Each structure stands twice: as C-alpha cells, then as structure tokens.
Amino acid sequence: MKKIKLLSALLLIPLFTLAQETESTTKVAKATRIDVAPKIDGILDDVAWSKTPVITGFTEVRPIDNTPASRKTEVRILYDNVAIYVSAMLYDTSPDSILRELTQRDRSGNADEFHVVFDTYNDKQTGFVFGVTAAGVQLDEFIGSNNFSAIWESAVKINNEGWAVEMKIPYSAIRFPKTDIQNWGFIAQRKVRRTRGEDLWPYIPLGINNPLPFAAKLEGISGINPPLRLSFTPYAGFGVSHFPANVVGLSNYSTSYNVGLDLKYGINESFTLDATLAPDFGQVQSDNQFLNLSAFETTFSENRPFFQEGNEYFNVGHLFFPRRIGGTPKGFGSVRNMANQGFKIIENPSQIQLLNATKITGTTKSGIGIGFLNSITNAEFAIVEDANGVQQRIKTEPFTNYNVISVRQTLPNNSFVNLYNGNVTREGPNNDANLSGIRFQVGTAKNDYQLRGILGISNKFMLDSVSNGYKYDIAFEKISGPFRFYLGRNVESDTYNPNDIGLLQAADEVTHFWGAGYRNFSPKNPKIRESRGGINFRYETTFKTREYAQFSVSADNFTLYQSFFSLQSFVEYKPNHNDFFEARTPGRKYQRLAFMGGSVGFSTDFRKRFAVDGRVTYFDNIQERNPFRRLNLSPRFRLNDKVLFIHNFTVSKDLDKGFVTRANNEIYFGIRDVKTYENVFSTSYIFTPDMSLTLRARHNWTDVDYRRYMILNQDGTLREDELNLNTTRPVNDFNINANFFNIDMVYSWRFAPGSDVVLIYKNSINKFDNQVGKRFFENFGNVLRSDQLNTVSIKVLYYLDYLTLKKKKA
C-alpha cells in the first residue's frame, strides 16, 4: 500500500504546477441577433444573412498544410431566443463534380462535408459538432463521446457556384452556462472529397490530439437562456420468433411485445436526466461471435445507444464496461452443459432483462463534469427436465443493481482530474463488488507534452471474505510535432478484479512500455502525401513473484501516396517468454517459444466506385516451424450514390499449442491445426437521408483438429503423453467445429424529427460438433440445414418535445 500512497502524492504535484493557459488564437467570429429567423431550405436569400459579418479566409491543411485555401468558403452566424443559425457558401468551380453519396445518419461517405464546432463552456476539452454532407446527411457528435444524437434542422443545395448549407441548432440540442454574455469557442471545417482536401477556420496544426485549444472566439451572443429541455420517446415493439425446439408440447413459435419510454429532462442549464424504462435493443447489430480458445474472456463492443451516449462522463480507463449490464446470465453455460447429462433444456435465457436505467450527466460553469448512472436488471431462471419428466427451475442470474458515479474537473492546458466509483449489489447470498478510481491528465501550455495516469482499487465481497486489489497506470508523452515519444508503467496486483462492472483480461502483471514515432504531413517526396511510423518496446513480469513474462519490440509504418493508395506495415519480435494464463491453473506457467513476423496491408482510393483493403500476416516460431498465416481482403463496390456493397473475407491457419483439459492429475496441452474462415457481406440502399434498408450477413467458421496431446511439466515445458490420454479419450474428443452465422436486415424510416419506424429481420445459427476436416461449402451447407432462430420484429418510436407541444397548444 506504500506504493499507492506514493502514487497519490505524485498525482497531486502536477495539479499545483500547471502553467497558466495562453491564448492560442486571436481570431474572432461574430454572431448577430435577429428577430426573423431564416428559412432552412439551403437557399441563402434570406435578408437576415446579409446583416451579419462573414467568416472567410480559411486555411488548407490537406493536401498541403498551412496554405491559403484554394476554394473560397463563407460562413455566417445568427441567433435568436430559440436557436443558433449557421450558413455556409462553399464555392466550387465544378459544381457537377461535387461528390454526394447518401449514407445513414452520422456516417461519412463519398461526399463533401461541412462542420462547425461550438465549445459552449470554453473549457477547451469538450465541444458540440454539427455537420452535413453535400447529400444532406446530418453528422453530429460531442467531442469526447462515442455517441451523440441531437434534434436539429439542416438543408443543402447545390447551385451554380458550389453548394450551400443552412443549419438551425435549437438551444435544447446543446448545453451552455446560464450567463448574460456567452463566451464560446468556434471552429469551422470544410472537406472536399474528390481531392481529399480539408480547410479550417481558424488554422489548427495537423496531428493535434485536441483541436479545441486552437478554437476562435465566438462573440456577440447574449441575453439567451437555456430552455426547458424535456422530451419523451414512447415506443412499442412486437416480434415473432421461430426455433425448432424439438420438445414435445413446446411450440416452435413464440411472440413478444414491448412497450417502454425514454425520457430526457434538463434539470438545469448544466445537467440532464436520461431514463429508459423496459428498453428493447432488438435493433442493435448482432455481436461478432467467434470460437475463443484463449484463457481470456470474450468481450464485445457496446452498441446500445443508451450506454453509448454520454459515455465521456464514464469513460475512466476500463473501470466501467457497460456490457456488464444486461449481459449473459452467469449460470447460462452450466445449464447448457446439463444437456450432456441427459437433461432437456426447456428454457435458458441467454440475455439478462434490463428493467430500467437512469443517468444524470452535465458540466458546471466551473468545469466540473458529473455523471451518475443507475441500472437494475431482473433475475433470470432456466427450466430443465430430467429423464423422468420432472422439471426443475434454476436461477441463473440474481436481481442486480448497478451504480456508477464519476466526477471530472477540467483544468487549464488540456488537463483534468477524474474521480470514479462503481458498485454492484446482487440479491440474496451472492457476491457484491465495488470499484474506485482516479484518473488524471496534465498538459503543458503549448499542448505538446502530457502526463497521464489512472489508479483503481477493487473490492469483491464474498459470503465469507473480502478480496481487495489495485492497479495503476502512468505515462509521460510528447503529443505534438513531427517527432513523438512515450514511456510508462502499468501495475495490476494479483488480487485486482474489476470485472463485476469494469474490464480486465488478466491481473498479476507489471508492464513497462516505451516507444517513439514520427509524423510527416509535408514529405519532400512529391509522390507521398503523408507518412508516419514508430517503434515500440514492452517488458512484462508477474506482480506477485516478479517472474519474467515477456519482452517484445515492434515497429509500424503508414504511407499515403498522392494517388490515395496507402501502404501499412508492422513487424514484431518476441523472444522466449512465459505464459502464466494458458495453463488455467494458478501457479503454473507455459514456456512459449520465440517468434517473429509481421503484416503488410494496403488500401486503394475509396473515392472510386471499386476499392479494396487487404492485409497479409505471417508469424512463425524461431526454434520450430509453427506458422500463423492470415489473409484479409475487403473489396467494396458503390453502384451509385444510394447503393453500396462490401465484402470482408478473412482466412487464417495456425499450427498452435494450447490447453486442452486436466486429467490424471496432469495438465494436458494439445498440438492443433486451427483454421478460421470469416465472410461478412453487407449492403445498404439509402432511399433518402431519412430512410434506409441495410443487410449484413456474417459467417464465422473455426475448425480445430488436434494432432496429439502433451503434458505440461512443472517448469512450463511440454513432454509426450506417457499415460496415453488417447486410450481413454478418442483423439477427436476435443476436436471442434464451430460455426456462427447471423443475418441482420433493418429497414429504418425517420418519419418525423427523432421519430422512427424500424422493421428488423434476424437469423441466428450457432453450431458446434467435433467433425473436423470438411470442405468449406460442405460445412456451410450443413450450417444452413441446422436449427436456426428466425425473428421478425417491428418497433415504433415517437419523439415528443415539450416546447414544441407547448408552442402548438398556444
């Protein structure tokens, strides 16, 4: 614990030695108050636009950095008591060449773009981004968050001089302090897709991690008040599923319905309450499941909108992992295995029902950001039947409450300190948990160096004991300029376990990491647009015994040519090293042999109708020939501005050694051929910016064929199986043939602001056996003939805004 106290003291030192913030720009944008709002139609003929100063003089950063823009751009800003309005005239000498591919909302495509950024709290760390493409697709985000979706208006129009943009951003879509005179930061950005050009106002150097310290001042906004932010989104859903249960008396068809409500309420000008009751995330894309042969947990990315939006308040390292909420019941696997013991599985829910979730997020005038989240999940039960027809109800997950609170204080020079606490409380005699942490970042006045770190403390409350652990991670980095470097240290005690609410693949590690790199945005070679690369070192031991685990050195490079063809390369060397996890037994290790290898990838010009990404990977042991080979190809074809086809193909082959089982008081490893094929086909038809049809089909096949078995010695080496495991277990007993097949087809129609109709078809097949060695198409045919779950559902959401309803009633 002395190390924790020392680290805490070190964290406090930089907070008292911050350099005073300096103004990074003198540029000023002016906003003008109006009485009559302009019509949002993409035609800039409203009188109001002529009454405000024009912002012009953009600087090009791509393809040539820090040069006057080759195309003229004019931006104007208006405001009234309801909204802020932005217009842009983006001049172009070839209007018929402006690219305007249609995409779904918030997805950039093969189209020109225009964006504005408002740093409403002027904290130079957070900002609202509103953008639109030349096809009229809206793009919005909150800097620091994975997901942000606001209700606002926009229109674009291509004319004889280029293309025009009009935006109306209501104050209910943003947050700002309740003061008479507003002091905001402002950035405008233009992207010309056919030249991959990018113009900015004001100029911001390329390669900057955070552009907000370079924002211009936005002056002239005064006398506005944050409105009452209150909206309701009731929704209703209905679904029909078919699965051949193969159980007498149990129908193959089932129906479900769901009625719920999303609520958003602005508690004051700074804080917002979001709540969801009986949520349905059926429209979320299926997880990319795969066969996991490693000792580590399988995890998937968070796709649920409620947990994505506002995650900037909860993103404290890996101390919060929202997929813990409403995941797979802990007892699901053990019930599924009862089928091998002669039981019939009548019911075994694979998803925990989320009853409700509530969060409060916001930032005060003094830069204190607060996030509070509470969620409740229901208890889950499985039903099994024995050979005598007697049914048994088994609890696979208890009723559980999840609670998270995070407080972040922004500081000058792109700095902050963040306090965090997460708690999990389960019903009845089950384990509870608590996870606390502090995260900080301290930057210099010129935004070129930073010190960052995180400290986490875990407490796991068992029925008869408590387990405590800790981790810390600290690093110093040069984050700007052509030459950069980093060095740091990560420590995870052997008892650190955040996985009730956070994420950690493996504890008991001490890691030192360092490296250096370069970025060249103006290379001397006229054929190259930009290049970057670096070298990285990593040295790792165990925490408890300080035994050597591994050392690695790697290097990478990226080059973008004038033709927009890019090359990427990666090489790595790792000498003999100890794996303390593959044996799946505390105190045991497996000595892995040294290996070396790398990959080479390429990407063609995505502006063209046909483009392709590709990568070839090869690694091999140095003492033995156990190669790993992988090929990935991803061609895409754009039929027109509405239709896009993408195919992802991956094949890999690996001669591997890994854990198999424990038997005869020994740990058995297997030498195995592992082949994996994955095909992902996706297509989309975008009717309008508010209507789309998407299809995604994915098949992942992994074939594991064991050649022979070996026994793990105490020193971590392997020896031949003297007891001959094969006499009691056939060689193919551990072979695996795993297939995962999914289809997701979604029709989405935004028929009113914030209101959607979503029609979904899903197909799911998970097939496991030990019959290896089949040809690809023979295997795929067997998969399609397997039992499969088919679901058709419809969901309707209707957005109700209090201010709009009040205005209509008046």
Side-chain angles (χ1 to χ4, degrees), residues 666-686:
E666 299 285 4
I667 299 174
Y668 283 85
F669 272 53
I671 299 177
R672 59 204 181 192
D673 280 313
V674 182
K675 296 182 293 184
T676 299
Y677 296 85
E678 180 172 277
N679 285 276
V680 183
F681 176 79
S682 59
T683 184
S684 60
Y685 188 98
I686 312 299

Side-chain angles (χ1 to χ4, degrees), residues 650-666:
T650 303
V651 57
S652 67
K653 296 185 178 182
D654 187 15
L655 183 57
D656 182 34
K657 297 178 182 178
F659 174 85
V660 178
T661 188
R662 298 184 188 89
N664 308 320
N665 295 318
E666 299 285 4

Side-chain angles (χ1 to χ4, degrees), residues 49 75-77 84-88 114 116 118 165-167:
W49 293 124
V75 178
R76 293 174 170 85
I77 304 173
I84 188 165
Y85 306 85
V86 179
S87 74
F114 174 74
V116 291
F118 297 107
V165 177
E166 285 184 300
M167 301 178 180

Side-chain angles (χ1 to χ4, degrees), residues 15 18 21 119 121-126 313 362-370 407-418 441:
L15 303 183
L18 287 170
E21 184 178 10
D119 180 2
Y121 285 92
N122 202 29
D123 61 9
K124 305 191 186 305
Q125 295 187 39
T126 59
Y313 293 96
T363 303
T364 67
K365 297 181 201 177
S366 57
I368 300 177
I370 298 175
V407 180
R408 169 172 163 151
Q409 173 67 68
T410 59
L411 299 166
N413 305 325
N414 196 26
S415 305
F416 65 83
V417 61
N418 195 168
Q441 178 175 297

Side-chain angles (χ1 to χ4, degrees), residues 25-39:
T25 179
T26 57
K27 287 204 171 185
V28 176
K30 296 283 188 180
T32 302
R33 177 181 277 278
I34 55 173
D35 297 320
V36 179
K39 183 179 180 181

Side-chain angles (χ1 to χ4, degrees), residues 455-695:
L455 167 68
I457 299 175
S458 67
N459 313 107
K460 196 171 182 69
F461 304 98
M462 279 78 75
L463 297 180
D464 55 358
S465 63
V466 178
S467 176
N468 302 315
Y470 72 90
K471 74 154 288 182
Y472 69 83
D473 186 337
I474 190 166
F476 178 70
E477 303 171 302
K478 185 177 186 296
I479 58 174
S480 67
F483 172 75
R484 305 184 182 198
F485 67 83
Y486 68 91
L487 57 94
R489 172 182 167 98
N490 178 72
V491 174
E492 296 157 357
S493 73
D494 57 313
T495 54
Y496 178 65
N497 184 358
N499 285 330
D500 287 88
I501 199 166
L503 177 62
L504 178 68
Q505 294 287 15
D508 194 22
E509 292 181 344
V510 177
T511 305
H512 298 86
F513 49 90
W514 62 99
Y518 73 92
R519 295 187 180 187
N520 188 352
F521 296 105
S522 302
K524 294 180 180 179
N525 188 333
K527 296 182 179 180
I528 297 176
R529 282 180 174 263
E530 62 180 77
S531 62
R532 59 180 180 268
I535 186 167
N536 309 280
F537 300 88
R538 185 181 182 92
Y539 178 77
E540 184 179 308
T541 68
T542 63
F543 171 84
K544 190 173 183 179
T545 61
R546 292 302 194 269
E547 290 183 78
Y548 165 74
Q550 62 177 321
F551 169 79
S552 68
V553 56
S554 64
D556 61 271
N557 182 75
F558 170 84
T559 303
L560 178 65
Y561 295 88
Q562 293 291 348
S563 63
F564 297 106
F565 178 86
S566 66
L567 279 176
Q568 313 99 42
S569 61
F570 173 81
V571 293
E572 182 181 19
Y573 168 69
K574 185 179 291 188
N576 292 355
H577 50 288
N578 295 317
D579 188 333
F580 293 91
F581 306 102
E582 184 61 27
R584 323 290 167 97
T585 305
R588 298 296 296 273
K589 65 182 178 182
Y590 166 49
Q591 289 189 14
R592 292 190 179 271
L593 299 177
F595 69 81
M596 184 175 184
S599 65
V600 177
F602 69 92
S603 180
T604 65
D605 186 356
F606 274 35
R607 298 173 304 168
K608 296 182 178 180
R609 287 184 178 273
F610 178 78
V612 62
D613 288 338
R615 181 171 289 273
V616 177
T617 303
Y618 184 90
F619 282 91
D620 203 351
N621 289 332
I622 294 177
Q623 293 100 320
E624 299 179 359
R625 292 303 308 273
N626 296 326
F628 169 79
R629 294 157 288 177
R630 182 172 61 204
L631 170 67
N632 174 261
L633 287 174
S634 180
R636 57 173 55 208
F637 177 68
R638 190 176 66 256
L639 183 64
N640 51 44
D641 284 339
K642 294 187 175 184
V643 182
L644 175 67
F645 300 95
I646 302 175
H647 178 216
N648 252 307
F649 169 71
T650 303
V651 57
S652 67
K653 296 185 178 182
D654 187 15
L655 183 57
D656 182 34
K657 297 178 182 178
F659 174 85
V660 178
T661 188
R662 298 184 188 89
N664 308 320
N665 295 318
E666 299 285 4
I667 299 174
Y668 283 85
F669 272 53
I671 299 177
R672 59 204 181 192
D673 280 313
V674 182
K675 296 182 293 184
T676 299
Y677 296 85
E678 180 172 277
N679 285 276
V680 183
F681 176 79
S682 59
T683 184
S684 60
Y685 188 98
I686 312 299
F687 301 93
T688 70
D690 295 319
M691 184 185 297
S692 64
L693 177 65
T694 62
L695 171 68

